[in-house]
Amino acid sequence: MTMDGARDGDLLPVVRGGDPPPDLSPLLDPSRLAHLERFGLRTSPPVAPLERLCRLAVGVLDADAASVTIVEDVQTTVASHQLELPADAVTVPLEESFCARAMVSGAPLPVPDASEHPWVRHTVAAHTGRTVGYLGIPLLLSDGHSVGALCVFSDAARGWTQRDARLLTELAASTATELELRVAATELATALVDTQTARARMEYAATHDALTGLANRVLVTTELTAALEETGDLALLYCDLDGFKAVNDRFGHAVGDALLVEVARRLRHAAGQQSLVARLGGDEFAIMARGSSPTLAARLAERLHTAVVAPYLIEGRRIEIGASFGVVTTALVGAGADDGDTLLAAADAAMFEAKAAAAAPVRLFDAQLSARHERRIATRSALVGALEAGALDLELQADVDLRQGVVVGVSVLVRFTDPSAQRVTSAEIVAAAGELGRLAELDAVVLDRIAALRRGWLAQQLADGLVIWTSATANQVVDAAFVDRLTRIAAEPGVPLGLAVTADVLTDAQAAGNLATLHAAGVRIAVEGFGVERASFAALHRIPLDLLRIDPALVARLDADPYLGSAVHVLGQLANGLGVELGADGVETVEVADLLRAHGCQRASGFLLARPLPDGAQLRQLLCDGIDLPQREPQMA
């Protein structure tokens, strides 16, 4: 059984009856099957080029039909020419597969007559005569995976020659190349999808808050700026939670985070799908609403406030918090609304006003607030220039003993002159530095100047009974770098150093610990602004204390409200019980000074006693000589 003209020596060797059938189990290797599944070689092969190769194989080998099969745990004919298979023969099990045996043999498999071949005569195709002559070449990819076979068929018994095998092997190589292209295309598409997915994830992470999934400051600022270019009506609401820090301190940050997630959910639900809700950081949120008038924006803020302050149930705990809202619209800001940062700053300013007036949790931006807002913006800009130019000045406010007129301390006030020749106050500078994120830089400048001042005054023997006081916010007191720097300065020889803090640090455990560290290092501690708002008498025992200072707002009303004298008297008894001195700030009249002295206040500062002065001859004369305490004019008989 040979082709015409073929010599017996040209025939491919044929399997004999004694040769054992090949083991098909290697074809079930999971990595091979996963490879085929990943690249879809059986389900979506490149059919058109494979069919052309089948047609070429039939013509070159003078065969009756040809096919390309892919063998997974079954054999599937994926392309063919002149091979008319019944529907149930397109996919056959491995035990019925001629190509599976060619694959595991790793070489051309010639079958002159399927009905007599020991490996395949048991198959349905062989004993029904559907396949008589067969020659199959394994398809091997460059990565080593054997994926199927290229095979030709004859309708009658046929002896296959070496030449047949060479020709079909060449065509099989082309077939494998087509499949390789399919693999490469799939890998490229997968890589492209992966790259796009990674880019999308990066873009999402850059514009969204990781905890709540809300937009972040970057995205809301971008959206605000874009919206300002598209439409004239726009509202921005700035929300800050009240009491969130206490939740973190009491229940831990995990509960705090869960609370923020729930706040975000409520804001998103109450704001509606047309609004953009963002978390700006910490417990601050922003809501952007398009096409909103001041009246509608205020109503939205009220609705959001109601949603936020309703009680929460977090991990079985009932939690209540407050919220303050600042509201700004393009109509309220006017021509100044040209970018997202401007609107955010304006809404932030309105929120601060709302927080200061606890009875009115929603505050609209207005002309009066606009002037203060413009002042804040100008101060921030001027502060940047002053920091970079080293143009900050220190002024020193004398603290006077109300019984003897002796100067017992000085409070350091940082000042500078802005481009409009207006003197910027210490409170404005600290607020601007905090908003700019440059408070640590300001601290470094001020503390370095204080260190130099202490050394200079010690050398001039001005240290006797004198304390140099500087002030700090709660954020500064919990900053380890600030505490370390102050501790190192206090360890140097010089005039004693004091730190004045506001009463809000009394409930902070970390702040109390840092104040204890500073006191142990020799820093005197004072609580200033006492006697108003939420100052806690019970919390005073938590920190080492040297001085209690009455708030200027209370001092200013003493001569107009005689009943406040009783409050000062109580504070004097409290200070006496704590073993500390009582002081007062903002004394401007003789009557107030007399009242303070009568109720046990030992020291005071204010324009009546001495105005802030730069370090120089006039100040040093004041430190040495003290003052003649002002006296009331004698009453006419």
Side-chain angles (χ1 to χ4, degrees), residues 438-486:
R438 302 183 73 163
L439 195 56
E441 185 180 353
L442 177 65
D443 289 340
V445 172
V446 173
L447 293 180
D448 284 347
R449 299 278 293 278
I450 289 175
L453 196 64
R454 293 178 68 239
R455 291 190 296 268
W457 285 8
L458 179 64
Q460 296 173 50
Q461 299 182 336
L462 294 173
D464 188 25
L466 192 67
V467 179
I468 297 178
W469 292 91
T470 186
S471 298
T473 65
N475 287 338
Q476 290 168 291
V477 175
V478 298
D479 181 9
F482 175 82
V483 173
D484 180 66
R485 193 180 193 101
L486 203 59

Short mmCIF file of all heavy atoms in Angstrom, two decimals, residues 438-486:
data_model
loop_
_atom_site.label_atom_id
_atom_site.label_comp_id
_atom_site.label_asym_id
_atom_site.label_seq_id
_atom_site.Cartn_x
_atom_site.Cartn_y
_atom_site.Cartn_z
N ARG A 438 2.17 75.32 57.51
CA ARG A 438 3.54 75.78 57.79
C ARG A 438 3.70 76.17 59.25
O ARG A 438 4.56 76.98 59.61
CB ARG A 438 3.90 76.94 56.86
CG ARG A 438 3.80 76.57 55.39
CD ARG A 438 4.21 77.67 54.44
NE ARG A 438 5.65 77.89 54.43
CZ ARG A 438 6.28 78.56 53.47
NH1 ARG A 438 5.59 79.03 52.42
NH2 ARG A 438 7.57 78.75 53.52
N LEU A 439 2.86 75.58 60.11
CA LEU A 439 2.93 75.90 61.53
C LEU A 439 4.26 75.44 62.13
O LEU A 439 4.85 76.14 62.97
CB LEU A 439 1.76 75.25 62.27
CG LEU A 439 1.46 75.76 63.68
CD1 LEU A 439 1.24 77.26 63.68
CD2 LEU A 439 0.25 75.04 64.26
N ALA A 440 4.76 74.28 61.71
CA ALA A 440 6.03 73.78 62.24
C ALA A 440 7.17 74.72 61.85
O ALA A 440 8.09 74.98 62.65
CB ALA A 440 6.31 72.38 61.71
N GLU A 441 7.09 75.27 60.62
CA GLU A 441 8.11 76.23 60.18
C GLU A 441 8.05 77.50 61.02
O GLU A 441 9.10 78.05 61.42
CB GLU A 441 7.90 76.54 58.71
CG GLU A 441 8.95 77.44 58.09
CD GLU A 441 8.69 77.71 56.62
OE1 GLU A 441 7.76 77.09 56.04
OE2 GLU A 441 9.41 78.56 56.05
N LEU A 442 6.84 77.98 61.29
CA LEU A 442 6.68 79.16 62.14
C LEU A 442 7.20 78.89 63.54
O LEU A 442 7.89 79.73 64.14
CB LEU A 442 5.20 79.56 62.18
CG LEU A 442 4.85 80.75 63.08
CD1 LEU A 442 5.49 82.02 62.55
CD2 LEU A 442 3.33 80.91 63.20
N ASP A 443 6.86 77.71 64.08
CA ASP A 443 7.35 77.34 65.42
C ASP A 443 8.87 77.40 65.47
O ASP A 443 9.45 77.91 66.44
CB ASP A 443 6.89 75.92 65.77
CG ASP A 443 5.41 75.85 66.05
OD1 ASP A 443 4.81 76.90 66.34
OD2 ASP A 443 4.85 74.74 65.97
N ALA A 444 9.52 76.85 64.46
CA ALA A 444 10.98 76.81 64.45
C ALA A 444 11.58 78.22 64.50
O ALA A 444 12.53 78.49 65.25
CB ALA A 444 11.48 76.07 63.21
N VAL A 445 10.99 79.13 63.72
CA VAL A 445 11.49 80.51 63.69
C VAL A 445 11.30 81.16 65.07
O VAL A 445 12.23 81.76 65.63
CB VAL A 445 10.75 81.33 62.61
CG1 VAL A 445 11.13 82.80 62.72
CG2 VAL A 445 11.10 80.79 61.22
N VAL A 446 10.09 81.04 65.63
CA VAL A 446 9.79 81.70 66.90
C VAL A 446 10.63 81.11 68.03
O VAL A 446 11.20 81.85 68.85
CB VAL A 446 8.29 81.59 67.22
CG1 VAL A 446 7.99 82.11 68.62
CG2 VAL A 446 7.47 82.35 66.18
N LEU A 447 10.72 79.79 68.10
CA LEU A 447 11.47 79.17 69.19
C LEU A 447 12.96 79.48 69.10
O LEU A 447 13.63 79.65 70.13
CB LEU A 447 11.23 77.66 69.20
CG LEU A 447 9.81 77.22 69.57
CD1 LEU A 447 9.69 75.71 69.56
CD2 LEU A 447 9.40 77.77 70.94
N ASP A 448 13.50 79.55 67.89
CA ASP A 448 14.91 79.94 67.75
C ASP A 448 15.13 81.36 68.26
O ASP A 448 16.14 81.66 68.92
CB ASP A 448 15.34 79.83 66.28
CG ASP A 448 15.57 78.39 65.85
OD1 ASP A 448 15.64 77.51 66.73
OD2 ASP A 448 15.68 78.14 64.63
N ARG A 449 14.18 82.25 67.96
CA ARG A 449 14.30 83.64 68.43
C ARG A 449 14.18 83.71 69.96
O ARG A 449 14.87 84.49 70.62
CB ARG A 449 13.23 84.51 67.76
CG ARG A 449 13.33 84.56 66.24
CD ARG A 449 14.37 85.57 65.79
NE ARG A 449 13.97 86.92 66.11
CZ ARG A 449 13.13 87.66 65.37
NH1 ARG A 449 12.62 87.16 64.25
NH2 ARG A 449 12.84 88.89 65.73
N ILE A 450 13.28 82.90 70.51
CA ILE A 450 13.12 82.87 71.97
C ILE A 450 14.39 82.35 72.63
O ILE A 450 14.84 82.87 73.66
CB ILE A 450 11.91 82.00 72.36
CG1 ILE A 450 10.60 82.71 71.97
CG2 ILE A 450 11.92 81.68 73.85
CD1 ILE A 450 9.37 81.88 72.20
N ALA A 451 15.00 81.31 72.03
CA ALA A 451 16.24 80.76 72.59
C ALA A 451 17.33 81.82 72.63
O ALA A 451 18.06 81.97 73.63
CB ALA A 451 16.68 79.55 71.78
N ALA A 452 17.44 82.59 71.56
CA ALA A 452 18.45 83.65 71.52
C ALA A 452 18.13 84.74 72.54
O ALA A 452 19.03 85.29 73.20
CB ALA A 452 18.52 84.24 70.11
N LEU A 453 16.84 85.06 72.69
CA LEU A 453 16.41 86.07 73.64
C LEU A 453 16.75 85.65 75.07
O LEU A 453 17.26 86.45 75.88
CB LEU A 453 14.90 86.28 73.50
CG LEU A 453 14.29 87.53 74.12
CD1 LEU A 453 14.83 88.78 73.45
CD2 LEU A 453 12.76 87.48 74.00
N ARG A 454 16.50 84.40 75.42
CA ARG A 454 16.80 83.89 76.77
C ARG A 454 18.29 84.01 77.07
O ARG A 454 18.68 84.43 78.17
CB ARG A 454 16.36 82.43 76.89
CG ARG A 454 14.88 82.21 76.83
CD ARG A 454 14.55 80.72 76.90
NE ARG A 454 14.87 80.17 78.21
CZ ARG A 454 15.72 79.18 78.41
NH1 ARG A 454 16.38 78.63 77.38
NH2 ARG A 454 15.95 78.71 79.62
N ARG A 455 19.11 83.60 76.11
CA ARG A 455 20.55 83.65 76.34
C ARG A 455 21.02 85.11 76.53
O ARG A 455 21.83 85.41 77.40
CB ARG A 455 21.29 83.00 75.16
CG ARG A 455 21.10 81.49 75.07
CD ARG A 455 22.05 80.89 74.05
NE ARG A 455 21.80 81.38 72.69
CZ ARG A 455 20.99 80.77 71.82
NH1 ARG A 455 20.35 79.66 72.19
NH2 ARG A 455 20.82 81.25 70.61
N GLY A 456 20.50 86.02 75.68
CA GLY A 456 20.91 87.42 75.75
C GLY A 456 20.50 88.07 77.06
O GLY A 456 21.27 88.82 77.68
N TRP A 457 19.27 87.80 77.51
CA TRP A 457 18.81 88.41 78.76
C TRP A 457 19.54 87.85 79.97
O TRP A 457 19.76 88.56 80.95
CB TRP A 457 17.30 88.18 78.91
CG TRP A 457 16.49 89.06 78.00
CD1 TRP A 457 16.97 89.86 77.01
CD2 TRP A 457 15.09 89.23 78.01
NE1 TRP A 457 15.94 90.52 76.38
CE2 TRP A 457 14.76 90.15 76.98
CE3 TRP A 457 14.05 88.69 78.77
CZ2 TRP A 457 13.46 90.54 76.71
CZ3 TRP A 457 12.75 89.08 78.50
CH2 TRP A 457 12.45 89.99 77.48
N LEU A 458 19.89 86.56 79.91
CA LEU A 458 20.65 85.98 81.01
C LEU A 458 22.01 86.66 81.12
O LEU A 458 22.48 87.00 82.22
CB LEU A 458 20.82 84.48 80.79
CG LEU A 458 21.62 83.74 81.88
CD1 LEU A 458 20.89 83.81 83.22
CD2 LEU A 458 21.85 82.28 81.48
N ALA A 459 22.63 86.90 79.96
CA ALA A 459 23.95 87.56 79.97
C ALA A 459 23.85 88.97 80.52
O ALA A 459 24.81 89.49 81.11
CB ALA A 459 24.51 87.57 78.56
N GLN A 460 22.68 89.62 80.37
CA GLN A 460 22.51 90.99 80.87
C GLN A 460 21.84 91.02 82.23
O GLN A 460 21.37 92.07 82.68
CB GLN A 460 21.67 91.79 79.85
CG GLN A 460 22.37 91.93 78.51
CD GLN A 460 21.47 92.58 77.48
OE1 GLN A 460 20.87 93.62 77.75
NE2 GLN A 460 21.37 91.99 76.31
N GLN A 461 21.75 89.82 82.85
CA GLN A 461 21.23 89.70 84.21
C GLN A 461 19.79 90.21 84.34
O GLN A 461 19.43 90.89 85.30
CB GLN A 461 22.16 90.43 85.19
CG GLN A 461 23.57 89.87 85.21
CD GLN A 461 24.46 90.58 86.22
OE1 GLN A 461 24.22 91.73 86.59
NE2 GLN A 461 25.49 89.89 86.68
N LEU A 462 18.98 89.85 83.34
CA LEU A 462 17.56 90.21 83.38
C LEU A 462 16.69 89.02 83.77
O LEU A 462 15.48 89.05 83.61
CB LEU A 462 17.11 90.72 82.00
CG LEU A 462 17.74 92.02 81.53
CD1 LEU A 462 17.34 92.31 80.10
CD2 LEU A 462 17.32 93.17 82.43
N ALA A 463 17.33 87.97 84.29
CA ALA A 463 16.60 86.73 84.51
C ALA A 463 15.89 86.67 85.85
O ALA A 463 15.04 85.82 86.07
CB ALA A 463 17.57 85.54 84.40
N ASP A 464 16.20 87.54 86.78
CA ASP A 464 15.69 87.42 88.13
C ASP A 464 14.17 87.62 88.17
O ASP A 464 13.66 88.71 87.91
CB ASP A 464 16.38 88.46 89.03
CG ASP A 464 16.02 88.26 90.51
OD1 ASP A 464 15.69 87.12 90.87
OD2 ASP A 464 16.08 89.24 91.26
N GLY A 465 13.44 86.54 88.51
CA GLY A 465 11.99 86.59 88.67
C GLY A 465 11.21 86.75 87.39
O GLY A 465 10.01 87.04 87.43
N LEU A 466 11.84 86.56 86.26
CA LEU A 466 11.19 86.80 84.97
C LEU A 466 10.97 85.48 84.22
O LEU A 466 11.80 84.57 84.29
CB LEU A 466 12.07 87.72 84.13
CG LEU A 466 11.47 88.33 82.86
CD1 LEU A 466 10.36 89.31 83.24
CD2 LEU A 466 12.57 89.05 82.08
N VAL A 467 9.83 85.35 83.54
CA VAL A 467 9.53 84.16 82.71
C VAL A 467 9.15 84.64 81.32
O VAL A 467 8.37 85.59 81.17
CB VAL A 467 8.38 83.32 83.31
CG1 VAL A 467 8.08 82.12 82.40
CG2 VAL A 467 8.72 82.86 84.71
N ILE A 468 9.72 84.00 80.30
CA ILE A 468 9.34 84.29 78.92
C ILE A 468 8.28 83.26 78.51
O ILE A 468 8.55 82.05 78.48
CB ILE A 468 10.54 84.21 77.96
CG1 ILE A 468 11.57 85.27 78.32
CG2 ILE A 468 10.09 84.38 76.52
CD1 ILE A 468 12.82 85.23 77.44
N TRP A 469 7.09 83.75 78.18
CA TRP A 469 5.96 82.87 77.86
C TRP A 469 5.72 82.84 76.35
O TRP A 469 5.73 83.88 75.69
CB TRP A 469 4.67 83.36 78.53
CG TRP A 469 4.69 83.24 80.01
CD1 TRP A 469 5.10 84.18 80.91
CD2 TRP A 469 4.28 82.10 80.78
NE1 TRP A 469 4.98 83.71 82.19
CE2 TRP A 469 4.48 82.43 82.14
CE3 TRP A 469 3.78 80.85 80.46
CZ2 TRP A 469 4.18 81.54 83.18
CZ3 TRP A 469 3.47 79.96 81.49
CH2 TRP A 469 3.68 80.30 82.82
N THR A 470 5.51 81.65 75.82
CA THR A 470 5.05 81.48 74.45
C THR A 470 3.77 80.66 74.48
O THR A 470 3.52 79.92 75.44
CB THR A 470 6.11 80.80 73.57
OG1 THR A 470 5.65 80.78 72.20
CG2 THR A 470 6.37 79.36 74.00
N SER A 471 2.95 80.81 73.47
CA SER A 471 1.66 80.11 73.42
C SER A 471 1.71 78.95 72.43
O SER A 471 2.53 78.93 71.51
CB SER A 471 0.54 81.07 73.01
OG SER A 471 0.41 82.10 73.96
N ALA A 472 0.82 77.98 72.62
CA ALA A 472 0.75 76.83 71.71
C ALA A 472 -0.69 76.38 71.59
O ALA A 472 -1.47 76.44 72.55
CB ALA A 472 1.62 75.69 72.21
N THR A 473 -1.04 75.92 70.40
CA THR A 473 -2.36 75.34 70.17
C THR A 473 -2.34 73.87 70.58
O THR A 473 -1.29 73.28 70.85
CB THR A 473 -2.73 75.44 68.69
OG1 THR A 473 -1.82 74.63 67.93
CG2 THR A 473 -2.66 76.88 68.19
N ALA A 474 -3.53 73.26 70.59
CA ALA A 474 -3.61 71.84 70.93
C ALA A 474 -2.81 71.00 69.94
O ALA A 474 -2.15 70.02 70.32
CB ALA A 474 -5.08 71.40 70.93
N ASN A 475 -2.86 71.37 68.65
CA ASN A 475 -2.11 70.61 67.65
C ASN A 475 -0.60 70.68 67.90
O ASN A 475 0.12 69.71 67.68
CB ASN A 475 -2.41 71.14 66.24
CG ASN A 475 -3.79 70.76 65.77
OD1 ASN A 475 -4.38 69.80 66.27
ND2 ASN A 475 -4.34 71.52 64.84
N GLN A 476 -0.12 71.83 68.37
CA GLN A 476 1.31 71.96 68.66
C GLN A 476 1.70 71.13 69.87
O GLN A 476 2.76 70.50 69.89
CB GLN A 476 1.67 73.43 68.88
CG GLN A 476 1.60 74.29 67.63
CD GLN A 476 1.67 75.77 67.96
OE1 GLN A 476 0.75 76.33 68.53
NE2 GLN A 476 2.78 76.39 67.61
N VAL A 477 0.84 71.13 70.88
CA VAL A 477 1.18 70.41 72.12
C VAL A 477 1.28 68.90 71.88
O VAL A 477 2.07 68.22 72.55
CB VAL A 477 0.14 70.72 73.22
CG1 VAL A 477 0.40 69.90 74.48
CG2 VAL A 477 0.18 72.20 73.56
N VAL A 478 0.53 68.36 70.94
CA VAL A 478 0.61 66.91 70.69
C VAL A 478 1.66 66.57 69.63
O VAL A 478 1.84 65.40 69.30
CB VAL A 478 -0.77 66.35 70.24
CG1 VAL A 478 -1.80 66.53 71.34
CG2 VAL A 478 -1.24 67.00 68.95
N ASP A 479 2.34 67.59 69.10
CA ASP A 479 3.37 67.36 68.09
C ASP A 479 4.70 67.04 68.79
O ASP A 479 5.26 67.87 69.51
CB ASP A 479 3.52 68.61 67.22
CG ASP A 479 4.58 68.43 66.14
OD1 ASP A 479 5.07 67.30 65.95
OD2 ASP A 479 4.93 69.43 65.48
N ALA A 480 5.21 65.83 68.59
CA ALA A 480 6.42 65.38 69.27
C ALA A 480 7.61 66.27 68.94
O ALA A 480 8.46 66.54 69.80
CB ALA A 480 6.71 63.92 68.91
N ALA A 481 7.70 66.74 67.68
CA ALA A 481 8.83 67.57 67.27
C ALA A 481 8.81 68.91 68.01
O ALA A 481 9.86 69.42 68.44
CB ALA A 481 8.80 67.80 65.76
N PHE A 482 7.62 69.49 68.18
CA PHE A 482 7.49 70.75 68.91
C PHE A 482 7.91 70.57 70.37
O PHE A 482 8.65 71.38 70.93
CB PHE A 482 6.04 71.25 68.83
CG PHE A 482 5.76 72.49 69.63
CD1 PHE A 482 6.07 73.74 69.14
CD2 PHE A 482 5.19 72.39 70.89
CE1 PHE A 482 5.82 74.88 69.89
CE2 PHE A 482 4.93 73.52 71.65
CZ PHE A 482 5.25 74.78 71.15
N VAL A 483 7.41 69.51 70.98
CA VAL A 483 7.73 69.25 72.39
C VAL A 483 9.23 69.01 72.57
O VAL A 483 9.85 69.53 73.50
CB VAL A 483 6.92 68.04 72.90
CG1 VAL A 483 7.35 67.64 74.31
CG2 VAL A 483 5.43 68.37 72.88
N ASP A 484 9.83 68.26 71.66
CA ASP A 484 11.27 67.98 71.75
C ASP A 484 12.08 69.27 71.62
O ASP A 484 13.05 69.48 72.36
CB ASP A 484 11.65 66.98 70.65
CG ASP A 484 13.14 66.66 70.68
OD1 ASP A 484 13.60 66.06 71.66
OD2 ASP A 484 13.84 67.01 69.71
N ARG A 485 11.68 70.12 70.68
CA ARG A 485 12.42 71.36 70.47
C ARG A 485 12.32 72.27 71.69
O ARG A 485 13.32 72.86 72.14
CB ARG A 485 11.87 72.07 69.23
CG ARG A 485 12.75 73.21 68.72
CD ARG A 485 12.14 73.87 67.50
NE ARG A 485 13.11 74.72 66.84
CZ ARG A 485 13.78 74.38 65.75
NH1 ARG A 485 13.60 73.19 65.23
NH2 ARG A 485 14.66 75.21 65.21
N LEU A 486 11.12 72.36 72.26
CA LEU A 486 10.92 73.20 73.43
C LEU A 486 11.70 72.65 74.63
O LEU A 486 12.27 73.42 75.42
CB LEU A 486 9.42 73.28 73.76
CG LEU A 486 8.95 74.48 74.57
CD1 LEU A 486 9.27 75.79 73.87
CD2 LEU A 486 7.45 74.37 74.84
#
